[in-house]
Amino acid sequence: GGVLFVSGSAFFITSSVRDVWILPYQIGCGIWICGCVAFLLPVCSRIRRAPLDHSVHLQGFCMLAFLCGCIVPFCGADDAAQAPLLPVINALFMAGSAAALLDALLAWLLRAQMTERGCDRPRGLELLDLAVSLCYCVAASLGGFGEHAWLGTFAMCFWTVGSGLLLPEPLHAWLVTRRG
């Protein structure tokens, strides 16, 4: 999922510097849709196993908000048709980003309880979650609601940075299983 988010984010940046922006934006959203599905599959599995786990619900909400935010751009055929939809898209991305931030903050604050339940996740990965969600919140707030074009481009870079920070966790998991 993280690789797909990084790839899609590159198209978000491209869309922010082009006069005809809708096609690269839609390509980025299409790639993000695949990333959202990749993240949602294990979340759905975890919801069935632990229906009262707040974290899994926040993660699911985040991905569903991102997924909906990525589907909306396909409702208009051109740049002009997209303009009235931008506040909806921005609100969905902001809602997903806020859910990710809340999940990361709760994980950080409730670490002692999680360790007692046998979930001993490295502290560095929790810091990465905080950094990812903060990057997404910056991107959603500045990119979606900024008044200046350069600010939108600057903000779009935060989608790429945040997405890139998603990559160490699966790499860490792979290394742990490989060492067996």
Side-chain angles (χ1 to χ4, degrees):
V3 171
L4 292 166
F5 276 21
V6 170
S7 303
S9 298
F11 285 94
F12 292 161
I13 294 170
T14 302
S15 73
S16 70
V17 296
R18 299 212 25 206
D19 290 332
V20 180
W21 59 272
I22 192 61
L23 182 60
Y25 192 76
Q26 287 174 328
I27 292 170
C29 284
I31 295 170
W32 263 51
I33 287 170
C34 297
C36 288
V37 170
F39 276 114
L40 270 173
L41 292 175
V43 166
C44 291
S45 173
R46 286 179 40 216
I47 285 175
R48 278 184 254 134
R49 285 183 306 204
L52 300 179
D53 182 359
H54 71 274
S55 179
V56 76
H57 290 285
L58 286 168
Q59 292 169 15
F61 178 82
C62 171
M63 287 302 118
L64 288 173
F66 285 171
L67 185 64
C68 292
C70 287
I71 291 170
V72 173
F74 293 97
C75 296
D78 58 12
D79 292 3
Q82 289 296 320
L85 300 175
L86 287 175
V88 174
I89 296 167
N90 295 336
L92 288 164
F93 281 129
M94 192 67 226
S97 299
L101 181 59
L102 181 59
D103 178 47
L105 287 171
L106 286 173
W108 183 267
L109 295 172
L110 301 175
R111 180 172 173 73
Q113 291 176 358
M114 298 299 284
T115 304
E116 288 173 9
R117 288 192 273 168
C119 180
D120 193 23
R121 190 163 177 249
R123 194 67 154 175
L125 294 178
E126 291 177 352
L127 282 172
L128 279 175
D129 285 348
L130 279 169
V132 167
S133 58
L134 284 171
C135 284
Y136 283 179
C137 284
V138 168
S141 60
L142 295 180
F145 304 102
E147 295 179 14
H148 305 289
W150 68 268
L151 190 58
T153 303
F154 175 71
M156 290 299 176
C157 294
F158 279 89
W159 290 118
T160 305
V161 171
S163 298
L165 293 173
L166 291 170
L167 300 177
E169 184 163 8
L171 179 61
H172 175 265
W174 178 75
L175 290 171
V176 167
T177 57
R178 187 171 169 160
R179 289 182 193 148

